[in-house]
Amino acid sequence: MEEEQKEESVRHFLDLVKKSRRGKLKIYIGMSAGVGKTYRMLQESHALLRNGVDICIGYVETHKRVETEALVAGLPNIPRRKIFYRGKEIEEMDLKGIMNRHPEIVIVDELAHTNAEGSKNTKRWQDVFDLLEAGISVISAVNIQHLESINEEIEQITGIAVTERIPDKILEIADEIVNIDLTADELVTRLKEGKIYDQSKIERALGNFFQSDKILQLRELALKEVVHQVERKIQTEIPKSIKLRPERFLACISSNAETAGVVIRKTARLASYYRSPWIVLYVQSDSESMERIKLDKQRHLINHFKLATELGAEVIKVKSNAITKTIIDIANEKEITTICIGKPHLNIFQVILRTAVFNGLLKNLALKDIDLVILS
């Protein structure tokens, strides 16, 4: 047993060492071609080079854009690997050449690219994994339509089946994701000015992919994805003691039909305003068991649960006589920031003096970073 523990300790330490040696990954993401992802990567490359960082181009696709090609000049470049495929000479990123050169950072464009047959990996994102494992940091770029999990949604928006896709995990392991954002009008203007495709392709692009409604939907997907990844990093990397908690509301209801409806609707409005998740909690004590409360109250409860669900709440029902403890426990478990309750029939001083549940709740909340809202 002792030997096994020692081996486990050694394995754990080696994992930590490997993780520390792993390269960093930065991804520029955009809603479509032409927003300026490659341009920004190359701008950053020049800035890093001026600061003495060993950075090289592993693969960049300029699409013959004059502004982009101008930025390639002056950057160290690892020559592409030339191979013959189906009678044609094509160029691929030289993964082995990059490994041998082992720069501190390498630029790898077109993350979703499919490699030619005979390459070590089928996909370029797999090449990026190899580079990271070798301790080489990577700056890459991809369009939102190449993300695997939203492939069907992309096809519905654009009418185009995207065959070159990347798994979501490549974004999840990224140390930094930057969204290159333009308005639909700005993107169309760039297209018309010939900054994305040559003149022969502009009219066709305007009639197909580059339509305002499609661009707006793709822009929304790109923005949402970046927000999602930022939120994930906040949850996993920032200690709870120092990070700002997102608003989460807990609406506490009883079988009181009049009060419950008010609490649910007003909490729904608060949650909508803050764009935050919310929960409706009903603690059923012995005095509110189905055998003791009237049928009309039971019907009202069922209707209130249905209303809460329709308004987007998670409904939690708990049987307990320890009402205060249950509310606090759920608030802690669900990381609640604000508890909402109905206005008691007694005035506030009578409530504090006479209502044990309310008094206990106030005392507990005073020790927690949780707000209490009394809804009239």
Side-chain angles (χ1 to χ4, degrees):
M1 179 64 75
E2 188 177 341
E3 286 299 316
E4 288 179 4
Q5 288 176 341
K6 286 181 179 177
E7 287 182 15
E8 179 62 32
S9 177
V10 170
R11 281 196 297 270
H12 177 67
F13 181 69
L14 285 174
D15 288 341
L16 290 174
V17 170
K18 287 179 181 178
K19 189 175 181 180
S20 68
R21 289 177 179 172
R22 179 183 171 275
K24 300 294 183 181
L25 174 61
K26 182 174 185 175
I27 298 176
Y28 282 96
I29 194 167
M31 58 186 168
S32 75
V35 294
K37 301 180 300 298
T38 304
Y39 188 84
R40 281 286 295 277
M41 280 199 302
L42 294 172
Q43 279 186 320
E44 182 175 357
S45 300
H46 280 283
L48 290 167
L49 193 63
R50 286 195 298 271
N51 282 279
V53 177
D54 181 16
I55 185 167
C56 292
I57 292 177
Y59 189 97
V60 161
E61 186 57 71
T62 66
H63 297 287
K64 297 182 179 179
R65 294 166 188 155
V66 177
E67 295 171 340
T68 307
E69 288 186 337
L71 282 175
V72 172
L75 290 173
N77 182 58
I78 296 173
R80 298 180 186 181
R81 181 171 59 96
K82 294 182 180 180
I83 59 175
F84 282 92
Y85 180 66
R86 294 182 179 178
K88 292 183 179 180
E89 185 183 75
I90 60 174
E91 294 182 339
E92 289 285 6
M93 185 177 77
D94 188 356
L95 179 62
K96 187 176 180 181
I98 297 171
M99 294 280 202
N100 291 337
R101 168 68 174 74
H102 210 284
E104 190 176 345
I105 304 174
V106 65
I107 303 298
V108 179
D109 207 355
E110 304 282 347
L111 187 59
H113 172 77
T114 301
N115 294 329
E117 286 185 21
S119 300
K120 177 181 181 291
N121 297 310
T122 306
K123 294 285 189 177
R124 186 165 289 160
W125 62 263
Q126 295 170 321
D127 294 338
V128 167
F129 265 79
D130 287 352
L131 292 169
L132 295 174
E133 289 300 315
I136 300 171
S137 293
V138 177
I139 301 176
S140 190
V142 72
N143 289 326
I144 190 65
Q145 60 260 38
H146 295 289
L147 191 59
E148 181 68 57
S149 64
I150 55 174
N151 180 249
E152 292 180 2
E153 197 171 346
I154 293 293
E155 188 170 350
Q156 288 174 0
I157 293 170
T158 64
I160 300 169
V162 179
T163 55
E164 291 190 322
R165 304 193 291 270
I166 62 168
D168 291 49
K169 67 180 178 181
I170 193 78
L171 295 185
E172 290 171 7
I173 67 161
D175 299 281
E176 191 174 352
I177 298 176
V178 179
N179 181 46
I180 305 300
D181 187 39
L182 291 177
T183 66
D185 288 344
E186 287 171 330
L187 186 61
V188 170
T189 298
R190 283 180 57 79
L191 177 66
K192 290 178 178 178
E193 290 174 347
K195 293 181 178 179
I196 301 177
Y197 301 131
D198 60 47
Q199 292 294 328
S200 63
K201 297 178 181 178
I202 292 175
E203 285 303 317
R204 184 180 176 186
L206 286 169
N208 294 319
F209 189 89
F210 286 80
Q211 295 178 23
S212 290
D213 60 331
K214 294 177 181 178
I215 295 171
L216 284 171
Q217 291 178 82
L218 293 172
R219 186 185 184 194
E220 181 186 25
L221 288 174
L223 290 168
K224 281 183 176 178
E225 185 59 35
V226 174
V227 168
H228 167 69
Q229 296 299 335
V230 170
E231 287 176 343
R232 182 186 60 78
K233 288 182 79 66
I234 288 172
Q235 290 296 325
T236 57
E237 295 182 16
I238 299 181
K240 287 185 178 181
S241 58
I242 63 171
K243 73 181 178 184
L244 292 173
R245 293 185 303 163
E247 289 288 345
R248 296 177 70 91
F249 293 89
L250 178 67
C252 300
I253 66 169
S254 68
S255 60
N256 184 308
E258 183 181 340
T259 306
V262 170
V263 171
I264 289 171
R265 288 185 176 89
K266 290 198 172 183
T267 306
R269 291 289 297 166
L270 283 169
S272 175
Y273 177 79
Y274 284 97
R275 296 186 177 184
S276 63
W278 63 295
I279 296 166
V280 169
L281 172 64
Y282 170 60
V283 184
Q284 185 187 65
S285 62
D286 288 344
S287 62
E288 288 209 338
S289 65
M290 291 305 171
E291 295 79 22
R292 294 192 177 185
I293 63 173
K294 295 179 180 179
L295 284 174
D296 61 332
K297 281 197 171 185
Q298 293 182 32
R299 283 196 300 270
H300 283 307
L301 262 177
I302 292 169
N303 288 335
H304 285 138
F305 295 150
K306 183 181 178 183
L307 172 66
T309 303
E310 289 173 350
L311 292 173
E314 174 189 353
V315 176
I316 298 176
K317 292 170 270 188
V318 180
K319 289 185 178 180
S320 173
N321 288 320
I323 297 174
T324 299
K325 183 178 183 302
T326 303
I327 292 172
I328 295 298
D329 287 348
I330 293 294
N332 288 332
E333 179 189 337
K334 298 293 185 177
E335 297 185 331
I336 297 298
T337 59
T338 304
I339 293 176
C340 300
I341 64 171
K343 181 180 179 181
H345 296 297
L346 301 170
N347 71 50
I348 193 68
F349 298 108
Q350 290 175 317
V351 167
I352 292 171
L353 291 171
R354 301 182 190 177
T355 309
V357 171
F358 192 84
N359 200 15
L361 187 61
L362 285 177
K363 286 180 179 178
N364 276 276
L365 293 182
L367 302 173
K368 311 280 183 180
D369 188 18
I370 300 174
D371 296 324
L372 177 66
V373 174
I374 302 174
L375 300 168
S376 61

